[in-house]
Amino acid sequence: MPFEVVPTGAAVGAEISGLDVRALDDATFSALRQAWLEHKVLLFRGQDLTDDDLVTFAGRFGALDLAPASATDDVGAQEKSRPEVWIISNVVEEGKPIGALGSDEAEWHTDMSYVDEPPMASVLYSLEIPPAGGDTSFANMELALAELPADLRARIEGRTANHDSSYTSVGELRKGAAPVTDVTRAPGARHPVIRTHPETGVPSLYLGRRRNGWIVDMDVADNEALLDALWAHCADPRFAWTHQWRTGDLLIWDNRSLNHRRDAFDPASRRVMHRCQIKGDVPR
Ligand code: SIN
């Protein structure tokens, strides 16, 4: 194969070296896809991509979803050339944010689990990176499930959870959404708390994000205590790997078996990322 796979040594992730993702023949792509299923996050350094290149690369893995709803209207509309591209940025130009999610911490989550068919993968490309902060961490939810204490596992076996659609991972209310005052009535989508990866058959914890999560039919106080315990377990550093970005980095990660989060960074510095999301199916 014309590339090398260098595992991070942590619970997830590998760097792929020696590859320009703009030039992938079918055999190379097939080997890359296998490496992605094995390591769950792949890192490619030093890429030089237009939005068309990004969409073409992401589109090799499957059909693309459109960008998710942001907190304000037309975020980034003026900056991107493709509707499949979602801009993540704190930069404000002429009084308008060019992207979503600002510079605050983005909490642990898996992308767009508040829809019935969440994207199976996300692809994130860095155009501008702050001098410090803004690192992105990934946590292996297959490992988190495998190491879940038996008493916690017994309480989620066969259960379904509602994944609230109202707030972004930085806690902003999405455009058109109402504040959630009762988790049992939050909008969103319902998915099994333990899902099975449709390609590898490996089960994992599928919690979406902590805010307004509800294990369906559970008493609210019990729900809050159980979710706190599950999320505390998932945040254990032994399940995770943290990526420190450089300009030109490209990541692709598997939303079916990973959570991710982003560190805050100095709002006075610039961070500009372009993301695509690859369609998935109903979690089972
Ligand atoms: C995200 O896709 O949740 C954002 C990750 C990041 O900004 O690094």
Side-chain angles (χ1 to χ4, degrees), residues 86 88 101 106 109 111 122 124 134-136 169 245 253 260-262 271 273 275:
W86 193 45
I88 296 174
L101 302 185
H109 66 286
D111 285 332
S122 302
L124 190 59
D135 298 349
T136 306
S169 55
W245 291 93
W253 66 85
H260 62 280
R261 64 174 291 282
R262 181 195 75 194
R271 188 176 190 267
M273 322 285 282
R275 195 184 91 181

Side-chain angles (χ1 to χ4, degrees), residues 131-148:
D135 298 349
T136 306
S137 299
F138 297 87
N140 183 335
M141 291 298 100
E142 295 174 352
L143 196 55
L145 177 66
E147 298 200 4
L148 191 65

Side-chain angles (χ1 to χ4, degrees), residues 196-213:
T196 302
H197 196 288
E199 297 187 69
T200 63
V202 180
S204 67
L205 265 176
Y206 193 63
L207 296 173
R209 60 197 71 192
R210 174 64 186 89
R211 182 186 286 258
N212 297 324

